[in-house]
Amino acid sequence: MTPQLDYATIRQIFDRFHAADPEPQGELEHVNAYTLVVAVALSAQATDKGVNKATRGLFAVADTPEKMLALGLEGVTEHIRTIGLFRNKARNVIRLSQILVDQYGGQVPNSRAALQSLPGVGRKTANVVLNMWWGYPAQAVDTHVFRVGNRTGIAPGRDVDAVERRIEDHIPVDYQNHAHHWLILHGRYTCVARKPKCAECLIVDLCGFADKTV
């Protein structure tokens, strides 16, 4: 684990991220809060690209909880068959849709606790929805964020909760809204798991990683 970077260095890092991509966007396709919840829940142990391929057809016919319930378990299963753990995920989609209809009038709640009460929705999914749909500075820590946070020293921590707290505590508040998107994209395309592309990295001189591949 790389030691925690100081505030001035972290600000420089996010100044560069902002300069390179002022408005980073999540890569999961969605049309409303409901389809965002479903897409993020489906993305567990799957790639965004794979989820998008499956949900284009699904969301074309079911973009509300009511339409998803009308499609039914078999219909949902058929649409997402190419995604890992598709049978369990299809059941969760139907169950969360029923809860949204029964308890929330078909609307997606905007509290973390309420979101996390939905089947297949954990803290990471809830934070993605709070951030991407309502603009709340919630930090979703996936494998990319966890790796980049620890490898660079931006937000080192032994588990995802610790990394989330470090991001909240150490990244400047004016960069909190987009922080996890910058970190995800950096981990997905530059600071990759096996052979980080340090020679192409815009923060290579600021990163605390000792084993740079330069």
Side-chain angles (χ1 to χ4, degrees), residues 64-208:
T64 67
E66 294 84 357
K67 291 178 183 177
M68 197 70 75
L69 292 171
L71 184 62
L73 179 60
E74 289 186 12
V76 174
T77 301
E78 201 55 40
H79 275 285
I80 68 169
R81 190 172 291 276
T82 56
I83 300 174
L85 306 174
F86 68 93
R87 294 187 189 282
N88 187 55
K89 289 178 179 179
R91 287 192 290 269
N92 283 338
V93 168
I94 291 296
R95 290 168 59 211
L96 74 83
S97 299
Q98 191 68 62
I99 291 170
L100 289 176
V101 169
D102 292 345
Q103 298 183 21
Y104 300 100
Q107 300 299 307
V108 175
N110 63 351
S111 90
R112 184 183 284 115
L115 286 167
Q116 286 188 243
S117 73
L118 300 173
V121 177
R123 186 178 179 88
K124 185 196 81 172
T125 297
N127 282 349
V128 170
V129 176
L130 290 172
N131 179 270
M132 289 182 63
W133 193 256
W134 283 288
Y136 183 78
Q139 307 303 332
V141 180
D142 69 355
T143 56
H144 298 300
V145 175
F146 186 80
R147 180 177 65 256
V148 173
N150 275 288
R151 181 182 278 170
T152 61
I154 291 172
R158 296 193 179 278
D159 54 43
V160 294
D161 291 337
V163 171
E164 182 180 333
R165 288 194 298 272
R166 291 274 182 143
I167 292 172
E168 293 173 344
D169 290 345
H170 293 278
I171 291 175
V173 67
D174 46 318
Y175 288 138
Q176 289 277 332
N177 272 6
H178 292 314
H180 90 271
H181 281 133
W182 280 313
L183 294 172
I184 287 171
L185 294 172
H186 191 62
R188 184 172 291 163
Y189 297 111
T190 303
C191 197
V192 296
R194 293 187 178 180
K195 293 183 180 179
K197 302 173 184 177
C198 299
E200 304 171 16
C201 179
L202 78 167
I203 63 164
V204 65
D205 57 316
L206 302 173
C207 166

